[in-house]
Amino acid sequence: MSEQQMTPSKSAESLKEKTRGNALEKAAAEFADDATEKDETGARRKRDFSYTQNRELSWLRFDSRVLDEAFDETVPLFERLKFCAIFGSNLDEWFMIRIGGLSDLASLKNQPRDNKSNRTPAEQLDDIFAALPADVARHQEALALVEGELASHGLARVTPDAYTPEDRTALSKYFDARLAPIISPMVVDPRHPFPNLRNGRLFVACTLNGPDETGVLGIIEVPASESRVVALPSGARTFRYTLIEDVMRTFLDRSFGDYVPKKSAVLRVTRNADIDPDGEGVEEEEDYRQHMKKILKLRQRLQPVRLEVSGELGRKWEALVAQELGLEERRVFHVSMPLDLGYVYGLEAKIPDWAHAEVVFPPFEPQPSPMVNAKLPMRGQVEDHDVLLTYPYESMSPLLRLVREASSDDQCISIKITLYRVAKSSHLCESLIAAAEAGKDVTVLMELRARFDEENNIAWAERLEDAGCTVIYGSEGFKCHSKICQITYHDNAGISRITCLGTGNFNEKTAKLYSDFMLMTANPTIGTDGNTFFRNLSLGNLRGSYQLLGVAPASLKPLVMRGLDREIERARANQPAQVFLKMNSLTDRDVIDKIAEACEAGVRVLMIVRGICCIRANVPGKTDGLVVRQIVGRFLEHARVYAFGAESDTIYLSSADMMTRNTERRVEIAYPVLDPSCRALVTTFVNLQLADNVKARQLTAKGTWEKVPREKDEPPINSQEVLLALARVRAHTKRSEAIDLTPFSRIEKIPHGLAQALSSLPATGGYDHPHAAEKLVASIDPTSDATVRITEREERREEEEKREELHAAQVAERVLTAAEDAEVEEEVHAGEEPVAVDAAKPQESAEPALVAKAETKPSPEPAPAPTPAATFPAPAKRKRSRIATAFSLIGRGFGVLFGGPMDED
């Protein structure tokens, strides 16, 4: 049959197959990093795998590190429960993306090999499924341990075998009233085919015996409209609860009519979500937003990659379910714990009051930045000096206020911004809408392909467009992961710009959970670069040139490579050389090899990598001296910092990790930190993290993570807790004084004295005390070069205190002299009669000359005198001692000197 004779349905199916084949071919090329691994002739480059490791196994080690927090007894109990949930949700997403993608590639006849471990997708899957059972067992162990301890603190999950008669009565009523009317039980037989088990949803499955047949499979989807948590009868000091799926299993005998349930279990299917929206092909007449909506629906029915079973269904029936899903045995995981722990976050509000403070982290609100005056407009402050915010330690409010003020500023003519992940309730987006409605030119690049945030981004894109914003989307094949906002003003002086650049998203929710930097600057060169960036985005030009910004896919990676090369040259010339790199993940093979070259050239290389790390440290002759730390704690480490030079003379912040997808296949920005105060803030932040010996782990030559050793007299440093405390201290200092709390101009080891003070700071309390900052600064080791400025400031303060003491002594002498005169006067007038006082007439002052001088100072408007005149007897004066008189006058005298009434009598 010719192509012209094919039916439309067959033609469409053929086109789909071709599109998917192309997508798989593209995925294979990306897996093998063909763009960087092939030389000019097309031959693959030879790589040394002795100091690199597989990215998937490295990721599993990271998630295992997250689970360590659930076992850490220094972490509050309920927070440990959250870490159990985080481990599980991390694993879910990883299965959907990474295992899904590897499974597709493993179906190819000629499988590619990756350039870090030289393993094919099929070989990597073998390694992964060999490692997973131990992690799953450890997850169950952690949950059982934490739930057991939480029960003694008033929060208890009750399983069906532990229901009391009172529980069963309450649950029976709940099932009949809330669940029975909405559930849809189904049986699987020749007339009822196996249903679609949607991705991530919970299903209760059971074996059934009927009047005419035995061995039938029954399935009910757990209704997502109902809360997972069902309250049970509880006392005043305890919250007892069970899960909705356990309630459904308990009352299966009321769900299938004449069928009698036997065994039951809860099932959850994880499906491949590694779908390339661009690879699916956008129809010519189709709006990209509509295309993304179709992609989201398609995700629910993609190929299964994992089946989880909680309960006992029987091997025969589990094998049947796996067969229907097309899953091999190793992809079926049997657990004795709830599937999907997402419900635990809602339990925090149920913790009894008496136990709440003990089982959660102490509350913390992001602090105001000392670089910003809350009483002044933001535009003028940013034009005066760069502002660097450190989330979540400092509040996002200055950025939100800047955009909000711009939305109603007549001199603001345009706002341009890139949005990747946005809060569902976003004050930032509301300000953009207000600006558009006020007639300003508002351009929003909304990245609809931000994985698992697509639906929210689509909704905001529609709202913004309806309000009059110009909404554009990322270029085909290149996600826009940059975080940049530019506000343009036009006044009598001409055009001026404020550019905001972040390492993390413009997201109010994550700004309280993720550790990130946000720079706000009026630097004209960065402003010009930012304007060029947005123009290039509008034109689809990804290869533009910039003066200060490094922009992927063209110039960001070369910027980092040049920094490494510069330090390598310095080391080879026997000059001090140092590189510091902080990122979420490291997979780019070119960067890995350059780091190894730097190590062997003698460059001091320090790194902090939160997640995947495909390099191995201290492999002899390859990565000697390489220090790689990992920090997992209360907040998610998310900032990217690239600093070069022994004096840290070049510091860039960035939205990009050193992953091939970021450096080669995304639009990313790296931006310099030029302002000295902002640079000191970054270097102090980095030094504190490198000093962490509580939550930090250190990479080994085997690619594993081990605890950072601590010497006997070395104080414990939990960098996140110290940064929380430091933010509190800085919030109560002036901008000029806050500089002393960021004393480091370079990345270096923190002096022992300061480490001692910092380690005790979180427990001291009283962060709003005026001398808290002084105590911290004074504790810095005086032998360190970093403390010179602070020492000078201390000397100036001591001189000022001496002058104040001398002045106070002179005042006190005058007051005491006046007191002697007052004592004599009181003795002379002690026997006089009371006099009548006219309330409408001001009385002449009988105070000594010191107080009378205050009348020469400007005073507030006097209150109007009452109209009716009244006569009151003046109180009789009692003779008082010289000391009492002196104290009274000293109080008044100092009230005048320091601008406030110290004695109201």
Side-chain angles (χ1 to χ4, degrees):
M1 182 184 293
S2 68
E3 191 172 330
Q4 288 79 9
Q5 294 173 311
M6 291 176 67
T7 62
S9 60
K10 287 185 178 180
S11 178
E13 191 62 34
S14 176
L15 181 61
K16 278 186 179 180
E17 287 300 320
K18 184 179 179 181
T19 301
R20 286 172 186 165
N22 291 340
L24 201 54
E25 190 176 316
K26 177 184 173 185
E30 290 179 357
F31 176 86
D33 282 332
D34 281 350
T36 58
E37 289 304 301
K38 290 185 177 179
D39 61 22
E40 297 79 5
T41 66
R44 294 193 68 79
R45 297 163 61 185
K46 291 184 178 180
R47 294 290 194 184
D48 181 352
F49 301 104
S50 64
Y51 56 91
T52 56
Q53 62 175 325
N54 178 258
R55 66 168 284 170
E56 312 306 341
L57 296 182
S58 178
W59 185 90
L60 281 175
R61 291 187 182 113
F62 155 69
D63 207 26
S64 180
R65 171 68 189 92
V66 171
L67 195 57
D68 286 346
E69 293 298 289
F71 288 98
D72 187 343
E73 294 182 358
T74 66
V75 176
L77 262 177
F78 189 75
E79 306 299 340
R80 291 165 63 187
L81 183 64
K82 287 182 185 177
F83 278 111
C84 288
I86 293 168
F87 171 88
S89 63
N90 285 348
L91 201 62
D92 294 344
E93 289 189 13
W94 180 73
F95 256 97
M96 284 188 275
I97 303 307
R98 298 303 304 174
I99 302 302
L102 287 173
S103 300
D104 286 342
L105 292 173
S107 66
L108 293 173
K109 185 176 181 180
N110 297 313
Q111 294 182 34
R113 292 183 178 273
D114 82 299
N115 62 2
K116 271 79 68 178
S117 62
N118 199 32
R119 305 280 282 173
T120 66
E123 290 169 342
Q124 291 189 36
L125 287 171
D126 290 341
D127 297 338
I128 289 164
F129 284 111
L132 275 171
D135 286 342
V136 173
R138 192 161 169 263
H139 189 203
Q140 294 181 83
E141 180 189 351
L143 183 67
L145 176 67
V146 172
E147 283 192 328
E149 293 186 38
L150 273 174
S152 64
H153 287 75
L155 188 67
R157 179 172 69 88
V158 182
T159 54
D161 59 332
Y163 289 161
T164 65
E166 188 180 11
D167 293 337
R168 288 185 174 275
T169 300
L171 291 175
S172 175
K173 293 178 181 177
Y174 167 79
F175 179 84
D176 290 339
R178 301 290 296 273
L179 296 182
I182 62 173
I183 59 175
S184 301
M186 61 188 84
V187 293
V188 178
D189 59 24
R191 295 173 301 279
H192 302 89
F194 194 84
N196 171 46
L197 304 186
R198 289 187 288 174
N199 182 45
R201 295 294 183 88
L202 298 181
F203 295 84
V204 172
C206 62
T207 58
L208 301 167
N209 289 338
D212 303 321
E213 56 185 340
T214 59
V216 177
L217 182 65
I219 297 178
I220 313 174
E221 182 171 356
V222 176
S225 59
E226 290 292 310
S227 170
R228 284 280 302 282
V229 174
V230 181
L232 293 173
S234 306
R237 292 175 58 83
T238 305
F239 178 75
R240 300 171 67 250
Y241 70 96
T242 192
L243 297 179
I244 188 173
E245 58 266 33
D246 286 336
V247 178
M248 293 172 64
R249 290 178 66 190
T250 301
F251 296 102
L252 281 172
D253 58 341
R254 303 186 194 177
S255 304
F256 287 94
D258 293 336
Y259 287 98
V260 178
K262 295 298 183 182
K263 295 181 177 180
S264 69
V266 182
L267 310 179
R268 185 171 68 145
V269 176
T270 306
R271 293 180 180 271
N272 182 2
D274 186 29
I275 183 169
D276 179 7
D278 297 328
E280 290 297 306
V282 186
E283 296 176 16
E284 198 165 327
E285 302 297 324
E286 185 180 35
D287 179 88
Y288 192 70
R289 205 162 53 223
Q290 298 305 315
H291 170 72
M292 285 303 302
K293 289 180 179 179
K294 290 197 311 188
I295 294 296
L296 293 180
K297 290 180 182 178
L298 180 63
R299 185 181 282 167
Q300 290 293 326
R301 297 184 63 90
L302 289 177
Q303 183 65 29
V305 293
R306 177 182 62 165
L307 171 65
E308 295 170 281
V309 181
S310 177
E312 188 59 47
L313 197 58
R315 294 185 64 83
K316 171 188 170 184
W317 296 105
E318 289 172 8
L320 172 66
V321 173
Q323 181 182 345
E324 290 289 345
L325 295 170
L327 291 173
E328 56 190 330
E329 186 178 351
R330 66 179 180 176
R331 293 174 182 259
V332 180
F333 293 84
H334 297 85
V335 298
S336 56
M337 60 180 283
L339 306 180
D340 182 7
L341 297 179
Y343 67 87
V344 305
Y345 301 100
L347 291 174
E348 186 166 350
K350 307 295 185 182
I351 302 170
D353 291 344
W354 66 270
H356 196 278
E358 185 181 345
V359 299
V360 299
F361 283 128
F364 174 82
E365 278 297 317
Q367 299 294 294
S369 167
M371 304 183 87
V372 173
N373 186 332
K375 298 177 182 179
L376 299 176
M378 281 304 305
R379 177 187 173 186
Q381 295 187 72
V382 178
E383 289 176 340
D384 176 69
H385 60 274
D386 287 1
V387 173
L388 184 67
L389 304 177
T390 59
Y391 304 153
Y393 311 106
E394 292 178 333
S395 171
M396 188 183 183
S397 294
L399 173 70
L400 298 177
R401 191 153 63 90
L402 176 69
V403 179
R404 185 175 67 249
E405 290 171 2
S407 70
S408 58
D409 187 341
D410 291 339
Q411 293 180 349
C412 170
I413 58 175
S414 73
I415 302 175
K416 298 177 181 179
I417 191 169
T418 59
L419 296 177
Y420 192 77
R421 298 190 192 277
V422 188
K424 288 187 177 179
S425 176
S426 173
H427 296 294
L428 178 72
C429 287
E430 296 293 351
S431 294
L432 296 175
I433 289 172
E437 291 174 345
K440 302 185 188 307
D441 175 17
V442 180
T443 301
V444 179
L445 188 147
M446 179 68 78
E447 184 49 79
L448 299 186
R449 295 164 295 183
R451 192 170 278 137
F452 304 121
D453 271 324
E454 300 98 336
E455 195 171 344
N456 184 53
N457 287 7
I458 288 169
W460 270 116
E462 290 173 345
R463 278 199 62 189
L464 290 163
E465 195 169 70
D466 289 344
C469 300
T470 299
V471 179
I472 60 177
Y473 309 115
S475 302
E476 182 177 347
F478 293 85
K479 283 184 182 180
C480 184
H481 192 248
S482 307
K483 292 46 164 135
I484 179 172
C485 173
Q486 187 165 79
I487 303 172
T488 303
Y489 302 90
H490 191 187
D491 54 23
N492 293 334
I495 297 289
S496 61
R497 294 184 174 92
I498 288 178
T499 309
C500 306
L501 295 146
T503 62
N505 295 297
F506 295 107
N507 185 313
E508 293 96 312
K509 182 179 179 181
T510 58
K512 294 181 179 180
L513 302 171
Y514 293 6
S515 174
D516 271 307
F517 291 108
M518 176 62 66
L519 176 69
M520 296 186 284
T521 179
N523 180 287
T525 307
I526 291 179
T528 300
D529 276 358
N531 187 51
T532 303
F533 174 81
F534 280 107
R535 182 182 294 119
N536 287 336
L537 281 186
S538 298
L539 298 174
N541 175 19
L542 303 180
R543 305 284 169 181
S545 59
Y546 303 89
Q547 299 176 71
L548 290 178
L549 301 183
V551 180
S555 59
L556 190 151
K557 180 175 170 179
L559 182 151
V560 174
M561 298 293 273
R562 284 196 303 272
L564 283 159
D565 280 332
R566 188 191 75 174
E567 295 309 301
I568 290 171
E569 289 176 11
R570 287 178 173 178
R572 287 173 177 164
N574 294 319
Q575 298 175 7
Q578 178 175 286
V579 170
F580 172 81
L581 308 173
K582 174 176 166 61
M583 63 196 80
N584 296 336
S585 296
L586 171 65
T587 68
D588 189 297
R589 185 62 206 245
D590 292 336
V591 177
I592 289 171
D593 287 350
K594 189 60 69 175
I595 291 170
E597 182 184 344
C599 289
E600 294 315 302
V603 178
R604 183 177 185 233
V605 182
L606 307 170
M607 299 174 63
I608 299 177
V609 182
R610 185 197 78 214
I612 302 166
C613 186
C614 289
I615 198 168
R616 293 191 281 133
N618 291 299
V619 175
K622 304 295 180 180
T623 56
D624 292 290
L626 176 62
V627 175
V628 185
R629 298 287 176 85
Q630 177 191 65
I631 297 174
V632 175
R634 178 175 182 174
F635 305 119
L636 182 77
E637 291 297 329
H638 196 254
R640 290 86 166 188
V641 182
Y642 305 112
F644 306 97
E647 299 296 323
S648 307
D649 56 277
T650 303
I651 299 178
Y652 276 83
L653 304 178
S654 181
S655 60
D657 295 312
M658 288 298 104
M659 303 178 76
T660 310
R661 72 176 189 189
N662 299 85
T663 57
E664 306 282 351
R665 299 191 293 272
R666 284 189 177 181
V667 179
E668 305 270 12
I669 293 180
Y671 51 96
V673 183
L674 304 174
D675 180 88
S677 297
C678 295
R679 290 166 62 83
L681 186 56
V682 173
T683 50
T684 300
F685 177 95
V686 167
N687 287 340
L688 284 170
Q689 294 219 309
L690 287 172
D692 195 310
N693 52 24
V694 175
K695 294 300 181 183
R697 301 292 184 267
Q698 188 157 301
L699 187 67
T700 69
K702 294 179 180 179
T704 56
W705 298 97
E706 63 182 17
K707 287 189 175 183
V708 175
R710 191 195 314 162
E711 296 178 10
K712 186 176 290 186
D713 64 337
E714 188 178 357
I717 296 286
N718 179 336
S719 60
Q720 292 187 352
E721 292 298 326
V722 171
L723 286 165
L724 281 177
L726 199 56
R728 289 189 181 101
V729 175
R730 280 169 47 84
H732 294 90
T733 60
K734 297 176 183 176
R735 179 171 164 247
S736 58
E737 295 172 345
I739 293 172
D740 291 337
L741 295 172
T742 53
F744 296 96
S745 60
R746 63 185 181 185
I747 295 170
E748 60 181 325
K749 186 175 181 180
I750 290 182
H752 187 270
L754 178 58
Q756 288 279 11
L758 291 172
S759 66
S760 62
L761 188 58
T764 59
Y767 296 110
D768 56 345
H769 191 279
H771 299 301
E774 295 295 333
K775 289 178 181 178
L776 176 59
V777 172
S779 66
I780 297 176
D781 189 341
T783 63
S784 171
D785 292 340
T787 65
V788 173
R789 286 185 300 103
I790 299 169
T791 305
E792 292 174 351
R793 181 175 177 274
E794 286 293 302
E795 290 173 353
R796 290 196 302 271
R797 187 171 64 82
E798 288 174 6
E799 290 176 2
E800 289 171 3
E801 285 179 352
K802 287 178 182 177
R803 286 196 296 270
E804 288 174 2
E805 288 174 5
L806 178 61
H807 180 62
Q810 293 171 346
V811 170
E813 181 60 34
R814 293 201 300 271
V815 169
L816 289 172
T817 302
E820 290 177 350
D821 295 341
E823 183 179 3
V824 172
E825 185 179 347
E826 284 186 343
E827 288 174 355
V828 170
H829 298 290
E832 292 184 359
E833 293 293 327
V835 295
V837 179
D838 188 344
K841 257 175 121 178
Q843 301 299 305
E844 291 183 7
S845 173
E847 296 292 340
L850 178 64
V851 178
K853 288 180 182 177
E855 294 176 6
T856 62
K857 298 178 67 175
S859 57
E861 290 280 329
T867 21
T871 302
F872 298 96
K877 291 187 178 180
R878 291 178 300 171
K879 184 174 179 180
R880 55 185 175 181
S881 70
R882 179 176 183 272
I883 299 295
T885 305
F887 270 110
S888 173
L889 293 176
I890 287 172
R892 292 180 185 175
F894 275 74
V896 172
L897 288 172
F898 299 116
M902 301 286 289
D903 183 359
E904 297 293 338
D905 295 334

